[in-house]
Amino acid sequence: MKRLITILCALSFTSCFLSSEDHYQLDFEVGQASGAAFELREVEGRAAVRETETGRVRVWGAAPTLEFEFSGSSAIEIDFQNILPEAELTRDGVAIPLRYSSETRAAARIDEGTDVLLRLAAPDANAEESYRVAVLSDVQNAIDTVNDIFVQMAEDPTLRFVISTGDLVNNGTQEQLDRFQSELEALPIPFFSTVGNHEVPGPIEWHETFGPFSTFFEFKGVTYSLVDSSNATVHPALWDERVQPWLDANVDNTHIFLTHVPLFDPSGLRSGAFRSRNEAASIIARLAEARVDGIFFGHVHSFYAYSLGGTYTWISGGGGAIEERLDGIERHYLVLNLTPGEDLRDVSMVRVD
Amino acid sequence: MLRSAHVFLLLSVLFAGSALAQSPPPESVEPEIPDSPEDEGLGPEQNAETPAEDPTEPRSESTAEPQPVTPPLESEPASLADPDGLPAENASDATSLAENLGSPRQAEAQHAVLTSEHVAESSFEEVTLEVPHLQLDPLPPVCSPTRRALAPIVALTVGAFVSGAGQYTLCDPAAGRRLIGARVVSLGSLFLGGGGLVMTGASRKTIPIFAGLAIFGIGGTLFTYLADVYGALTAGANAGRPAPSSTLELAAGYRFVHDVRLGDLHAAHLRARTWFGTTRLNAEADIALGGDNQRLSLGIRQRLAGNPGRGNAFDIQSGLTFHRYGEHSFHSLVLEVNAIGRLHLETIGRNMRGSFVEGQLGLGYQGFAYPNVDRGLSDFNSLLLAVVRYGVYIGESGEVSAFYNHRRDRFAGGLALDGVAAGNFGHIGLEGRGFFGNGRFGLAGHLHYGSALTFGLNLLYRTQPDRPEEGATP
């Protein structure tokens, strides 16, 4: 008994320093659903998967390419949302039809089977050629006007998807997250995001709605790390088990690293940044050693371009949240022109207002 | 009125004599000469000739020497001990006692005879008093036992909203007014700072002003609360006083850092401080035991104002710190300048004697190097340095304090807060130090809590105390 108390005390003591531990652990459970007659699991947890009614499953994609393991004794209907417009679905390598209801939403019937591999991907997902993506973060309480941004993005047909460092809503409630999803219907391309500090009060709701807090994927020869720093830190287990192996595996690829809270705020006096400068410096050192090509933050509601450890770095928090005044920068998003195997240099700011 | 003054002065002599009998003065401490009655924690209306109609006002105190009571008055009547060695009472109690003389219960009390042949003013006459010394009423005459018992409760509860409520309850409205004033200023600072942050969206161009105002607003609000609670609890009974400083002070000890991200650290801590006139030099090091982590710091501190022996001081400090995290492949270098002020709260109210508040505001500039990627010193980044500290003196040379430190570049980092507060705050901590025996050796310890927990314990050695303590962090 005494030993148990000691262990419990030690665990509670440690938890004081790991406030994000609970929602980090949830990433091991995301992306899967099971019903009376089926099991469906995204192999890397890159989706929110939920059975909405018997035999019907809703999938919200958190990456451009999704792979599922499916086993079922009867057919199910999958409603794919937040997917690339031209994505194709294959079953053990054989194409099966997708019924698109909008650019980013399609449904498919999956017949019964055991250990079936489903793959949803764009036809050019592995073609190493230049493409463009947008970066948008920190909408928060400006959700009533975010449609302006989506409409402007929709006018650029070269954008393949939008990536975000989070703070999509103000408090992370289910109602707000649902509202943001409904606003995304105006966007003809998918929107992939990690979590911001404004979503942390409701981590379960985020999981149910958008899927994982941290996501790692590759698209057309460019690798992405969307890493949860919503508590102004990166959980050490998240780093050791997921981030560092991903960095090590993609040293030679063009690699984009996104996280919500800046490692260092260019305005050190403000220091809207990681809660430990020593931890931030250790991460910068590791990103530099892994030859990451670009680092993107949100959290600060303005635009900055600088470098950390010699790595090009940008802050973009132009989604409409309370703006940093006196700098002439208002709502905006970034457009990245990416070429596999090359450094990231072509980043432009697109003003909305 | 004149009689009250006589009584007060005589009792001051008695109390000081008793205190000296119990607590010898520190060695070679420079005499402290206040510039004005206010420096003794007395308002202009509270000097030796103050009318005693309002017994709730702070009063002047006994001398440290059993000598004629001529200004300056030493502010530390360590204790009042009755001839039989019963528990001491504070000077306020003694004053009230004096004002109780002549009451009906006096006739029933045992008596002691006090005589003073030396009083400050020639107009004073030799007075013989009969003092009831065993049934001393520890309460001021207008402050009932009920009010005294209620004061801590009021300070803890009502004081959270109305600063100084405890002092009002404890019959010290002047101190209560000062705390209210401090609270109003603090809240004003907080709202101005917070409002400015919101209005400017934490603009990089205005952040030092508004963040500084917000930090000191929060600190001031907390300090007024703690000071009220402390004053209500102790009623001025703490005889602790600012320690004298020494020409040389050395420290050696152990530091433990519990950091779940960068790994736990066991380190040896070494420090040396020396004074040259009003200038203090400081050198310290933390060297990991078994790991590749070293922190070296050099500092210089110039005393600009105040008499540190009484706890009030204003300093300018600059420092240079090199920190090598070999196992994490980075080094950092910090250059900083700070203004530091400390105020003995006896200045605000007699009941708060033995406590202090300290504020620090400064700027730092930090650069990093990442040796594994062969880039020189880079990533230069400024630091807003702000500390608010509340503490209590213990005995002749000790103190404990609690603080908030806004910096996040040290071992402790910043507080692990979620939501909108994430990443916006520094760390908190407890620190304490004290000397024992012959006053040459002592102990200092700290506990800092942020994204990491640090604990340290050091053995102190100092040369004979010869000048006021600087009031620095242990």
Side-chain angles (χ1 to χ4, degrees), chain A residues 18-244:
Chain A
L18 293 172
S19 57
S20 61
E21 180 167 27
D22 51 351
H23 77 258
Y24 158 71
Q25 296 291 347
L26 291 173
D27 267 3
F28 291 110
E29 304 166 10
V30 75
Q32 52 191 310
S34 58
F38 78 94
E39 288 185 0
L40 181 68
R41 183 176 75 88
E42 209 289 331
V43 294
E44 298 290 342
R46 295 177 295 201
V49 181
R50 184 173 58 190
E51 184 179 30
T52 53
E53 58 184 273
T54 303
R56 293 187 66 89
V57 177
R58 167 192 175 275
V59 170
W60 183 272
T65 300
L66 304 175
E67 290 185 337
F68 296 90
E69 291 176 346
F70 169 74
S71 293
S73 57
S74 62
I76 64 170
E77 182 81 4
I78 301 180
D79 179 16
F80 293 103
Q81 300 179 26
N82 201 46
I83 61 174
L84 286 169
E86 65 278 21
E88 297 174 347
L89 182 64
T90 60
R91 172 179 177 142
D92 293 330
V94 179
I96 55 177
L98 271 174
R99 305 187 304 276
Y100 274 92
S101 57
S102 72
E103 289 91 340
T104 61
R105 184 170 183 174
R109 174 187 169 87
I110 311 299
D111 292 330
E112 66 272 17
T114 303
D115 297 331
V116 173
L117 179 63
L118 302 172
R119 186 170 191 268
L120 183 72
D124 61 346
N126 296 323
E128 297 195 356
E129 54 194 12
S130 297
Y131 65 101
R132 284 155 56 93
V133 301
V135 179
L136 172 70
S137 305
D138 294 275
V139 176
Q140 294 182 9
N141 51 3
I143 197 165
D144 290 339
T145 57
V146 73
N147 184 264
D148 304 344
I149 303 175
F150 294 155
V151 168
Q152 187 165 331
M153 286 179 173
E155 294 171 355
D156 183 351
T158 66
L159 295 176
R160 299 300 298 270
F161 52 83
V162 181
I163 45 179
S164 173
T165 66
D167 271 8
L168 310 181
V169 297
N170 208 30
N171 297 317
T173 63
Q174 187 65 57
E175 180 183 13
Q176 292 178 5
L177 295 174
D178 289 344
R179 167 75 189 282
F180 192 86
Q181 277 197 341
S182 67
E183 294 292 338
L184 283 173
E185 291 174 6
L187 190 64
I189 52 177
F191 187 101
F192 308 125
S193 179
T194 183
V195 65
N197 60 311
H198 276 254
E199 282 97 22
V200 166
I204 300 294
E205 289 79 2
W206 175 275
H207 246 213
E208 292 287 324
T209 312
F210 289 105
F213 304 116
S214 300
T215 313
F216 308 88
F217 60 83
E218 178 178 350
F219 185 71
K220 294 174 72 66
V222 177
T223 50
Y224 297 81
S225 299
L226 279 69
V227 177
D228 173 8
S229 65
S230 56
N231 303 99
T233 182
V234 174
H235 192 286
L238 167 62
W239 188 273
D240 292 341
E241 296 173 21
R242 303 192 68 190
V243 181
Q244 190 63 52

Side-chain angles (χ1 to χ4, degrees), chain B residues 409-466:
Chain B
D409 62 316
R410 296 271 175 91
F411 283 117
L415 287 169
L417 300 173
D418 290 342
V420 295
N424 291 326
F425 290 92
H427 60 275
I428 56 177
L430 294 171
E431 295 180 339
R433 71 196 320 250
F435 288 85
F436 45 80
N438 61 4
R440 299 295 183 88
F441 291 93
L443 287 174
H446 75 259
L447 189 67
H448 297 173
Y449 173 73
S451 56
L453 179 77
T454 77
F455 164 77
L457 187 62
N458 296 307
L459 178 65
L460 304 178
Y461 168 79
R462 65 180 178 181
T463 57
Q464 180 170 305
D466 55 4

Side-chain angles (χ1 to χ4, degrees), chain B residues 202-233:
Chain B
S203 169
R204 74 201 85 170
K205 297 178 180 175
T206 56
I207 193 73
I209 299 169
F210 293 125
L213 285 171
I215 291 167
F216 279 98
I218 294 171
T221 302
L222 288 175
F223 124 69
T224 52
Y225 177 66
L226 293 173
D228 193 24
V229 171
Y230 168 85
L233 285 171

Side-chain angles (χ1 to χ4, degrees), chain B residues 319-338:
Chain B
L320 185 68
T321 301
F322 171 77
H323 198 160
R324 171 185 160 84
Y325 269 88
E327 294 165 2
H328 294 277
S329 307
F330 74 92
H331 312 156
S332 84
L333 190 67
V334 178
L335 177 65
E336 63 185 80
V337 178
N338 294 287

